[in-house]
Amino acid sequence: MSRTFTDKSDIPAPPEEVRIPLQAIRGRGAATALAHRFARDVREAADDGWGQPAGDEGGVGDVPATPAATRVHLETARSAICANDSPDIFFELSVNPYRGCEHGCIYCYARPTHSYLNFSPGLDFETQIVAKHNIAEVLRSELCAPRYVPRLINIGSATDCYQPVERELKLTRSLIEVMRDARHPFSLITKSSGVERDLDLLAPLAAQRLAAVYVTITTLDATLARRMEPRAAAPHRRLRTIRALAEAGVPVGVSVAPQIPFITEDMEQVLEAARDAGARSAFYTVLRLPWELDALFREWLQVHYPQRAARVMARVQDLHHLSDAERRAGKTYNSDFATRMKGTGLWADLVRQRFATTCRRLGLNRERVELDLGQFRPGFLQGQSSLF
C-alpha cells in the first residue's frame, strides 16, 4: 500500500546509526581487522536496521562470521640478522624467522610492523603469517662474512619463533643448527611448548655455554591467558616447559611481560611457580602501545573488560608519565628509551618494587647467564676442521 506525505512533519525521522558491538572471535586475540596507519579507507560496522537474514553465513563489516583461517606466505629473505642500538634491550642482534604470529597476543608490540606489509595489525597479524623459508641459508652466509663480529643473538625477539607453523616448517630448528655448526651463542624467547622438540640440540649447546632460553608467562589465570594469548600454550604447560628445559641443563629464565594494570595481577605467583619449575632468572616490562596497538588494545578491553577499560587506560598513561596535554589528546605511550620498558612515576615504582622484592625472596637473578662468544668458528660453516 502506497503512502503520500503531505508535509515534512509527516516524514518519519531516519533511525539513529547504531554501531554493532564488538565480539570475541574464537581462537583469535583481535576482534577486527583494524585498518593500518597507511590505509586510505577505514570502515566501521553499523546496524542498518535490516538485521541478519536467516541462514546468512556472512560476517559484518570487518568481523568474520566464522574464525578466520591462517594463511602462510613464503618469503625469500635478503637478510637474517637485525641489529638494534636500543640501550634498554639486552641483546644487540636478533633473527626472526616469521612475521606475524598465530598466538594472537593482543598486547604484542610487533603488531604494527604488519602495516608495512599492507596487512592489518589486528586479525591479519594473527592469520597472515610470513615465513622466511631461506632464513637459515642467509644466516649461514652472514655469519661467514669476513667483517662479522660475534655478539649475542636472540631468536624470536619480535614474533614467537615456536608459533604453530614451526611444527611443519622447522625454520627455528634450522637456525639452531647453523648456530651449533658455527659455535655461536644465542638465546631464545618463546611462550610455546614447541621448544621442547629441540632439546636434543639445545641441551648440548647449553652445556657448552652457547644457549639459553626464556619462557614468557604473563599470568597463571588460564581464562585470562586464553583471552590475551588465545593460541599460545596454557600457563601450566609453559611451567612444564620450564621444568623440562631446566632438567635438561638448559639455563632458563621467565619473562613476566608485559605487566598490564588491573589485568595481570599475579606477578608474584608467576615468579614463584617459575622458580619452583627451574627458572633461575626473570625480567619484566610494562604494557606499551605503539601506533595501532593502542586502538587494538582498547577494542580488546571493550570486548572482555568494558567496566574497567577506562581505569586500565588511565593507569597505562600513568606508567608512561604523560603530560596533561598528552593525556587529553589520548596519548598512551612514551617511546623514550629510558622509560618505555619499565615506565616511570609512582605506579611504575610500585611494579619495580614488587618485582625486585619477589626476586630477592625467591633467589632469582642471583647469577647472570654468561654465554661464551669466544667459541665462534665461522670456518666450520664452510667445512673447515679444527686444529684443537
Side-chain angles (χ1 to χ4, degrees):
M1 178 179 179
S2 62
R3 181 177 180 185
T4 303
F5 296 102
T6 57
D7 57 62
K8 292 183 179 180
S9 62
D10 197 28
I11 300 177
E16 294 184 4
E17 182 181 274
V18 178
R19 294 194 63 186
I20 296 175
L22 296 174
Q23 294 181 347
I25 300 173
R26 185 177 180 182
R28 300 298 179 186
T32 67
L34 182 81
H36 60 77
R37 59 188 180 278
F38 305 117
R40 295 183 178 181
D41 301 317
V42 178
R43 299 171 181 170
E44 293 185 356
D47 186 357
D48 60 4
W50 289 100
Q52 181 93 345
D56 189 349
E57 299 299 329
V60 178
D62 290 330
V63 183
T66 57
T70 301
R71 181 178 179 185
V72 179
H73 307 264
L74 297 182
E75 176 185 73
T76 301
R78 291 179 293 179
S79 63
I81 299 175
C82 179
N84 78 81
D85 56 359
S86 304
D88 53 356
I89 298 178
F90 70 89
F91 54 87
E92 297 179 75
L93 306 176
S94 62
V95 178
N96 290 285
Y98 303 104
R99 302 175 191 261
C101 184
E102 198 174 357
H103 284 163
C105 305
I106 192 59
Y107 52 72
C108 182
Y109 57 83
R111 280 182 177 271
T113 63
H114 239 43
S115 300
Y116 296 113
L117 305 176
N118 201 29
F119 285 138
S120 164
L123 283 174
D124 285 351
F125 182 80
E126 309 171 35
T127 60
Q128 304 291 333
I129 309 301
V130 178
K132 305 173 186 177
H133 68 90
N134 65 329
I135 191 73
E137 291 79 6
V138 177
L139 176 64
R140 182 180 296 269
S141 175
E142 291 179 351
L143 293 181
C144 289
R147 294 184 179 181
Y148 176 75
V149 177
R151 289 173 286 174
L152 179 62
I153 289 180
N154 179 266
I155 301 177
S157 60
T159 57
D160 204 305
C161 57
Y162 282 102
Q163 58 181 286
V165 69
E166 170 64 16
R167 298 168 190 162
E168 289 78 37
L169 298 185
K170 300 181 180 179
L171 299 182
T172 298
R173 184 175 178 87
S174 68
L175 292 174
I176 296 174
E177 290 171 340
V178 172
M179 304 294 266
R180 175 202 60 192
D181 294 344
R183 293 187 182 177
H184 194 300
F186 65 95
S187 60
L188 291 168
I189 185 164
T190 182
K191 52 173 64 76
S192 171
S193 59
V195 66
E196 296 176 29
R197 179 200 65 188
D198 294 335
L199 275 174
D200 61 319
L201 298 176
L202 293 171
L205 291 171
Q208 302 172 57
R209 294 191 298 136
L210 292 176
V213 176
Y214 298 89
V215 178
T216 299
I217 305 178
T218 47
T219 180
L220 297 180
D221 183 337
T223 300
L224 173 58
R226 179 58 60 89
R227 292 171 180 170
M228 286 197 306
E229 311 153 338
R231 296 202 177 194
H236 73 273
R237 186 65 184 87
R238 294 181 225 178
L239 290 172
R240 284 172 50 192
T241 295
I242 290 177
R243 187 176 301 280
L245 289 164
E247 290 177 349
V250 179
V252 58
V254 62
S255 164
V256 288
Q259 289 297 302
I260 306 175
F262 307 121
I263 299 294
T264 56
E265 299 278 67
D266 58 346
M267 175 201 288
E268 293 83 357
Q269 290 78 12
V270 173
L271 289 171
E272 184 169 2
R275 189 283 310 268
D276 292 345
R280 292 296 172 259
S281 62
F283 69 91
Y284 80 96
T285 64
V286 298
L287 177 69
R288 49 197 182 104
L289 301 172
W291 299 106
E292 298 94 335
L293 190 54
D294 186 323
L296 279 167
F297 188 74
R298 290 176 188 268
E299 279 188 355
W300 182 83
L301 285 174
Q302 289 301 322
V303 171
H304 298 286
Y305 300 101
Q307 298 86 356
R308 69 179 86 165
R311 189 161 57 124
V312 171
M313 297 309 299
R315 191 64 70 241
V316 170
Q317 290 179 318
D318 289 341
L319 285 170
H320 292 285
H321 202 60
L322 301 171
S323 67
D324 291 340
E326 290 173 325
R327 287 170 176 267
R328 287 194 294 270
K331 185 177 179 180
T332 58
Y333 176 57
N334 187 342
S335 61
D336 180 68
F337 283 150
T339 61
R340 62 175 184 166
M341 294 295 192
K342 299 293 194 295
T344 187
L346 174 62
W347 292 102
D349 288 342
L350 289 175
V351 175
R352 187 178 298 109
Q353 291 171 20
R354 288 175 56 197
F355 178 80
T357 300
T358 305
C359 286
R360 282 196 302 269
R361 175 173 62 84
L362 298 174
L364 293 168
N365 293 333
R366 287 184 177 175
E367 296 181 3
R368 182 180 177 87
V369 176
E370 294 287 350
L371 301 181
D372 187 4
L373 291 167
Q375 298 184 50
F376 178 55
R377 297 292 185 272
F380 289 177
L381 296 174
Q382 299 173 325
Q384 298 178 14
S385 58
S386 173
L387 297 178
F388 305 97

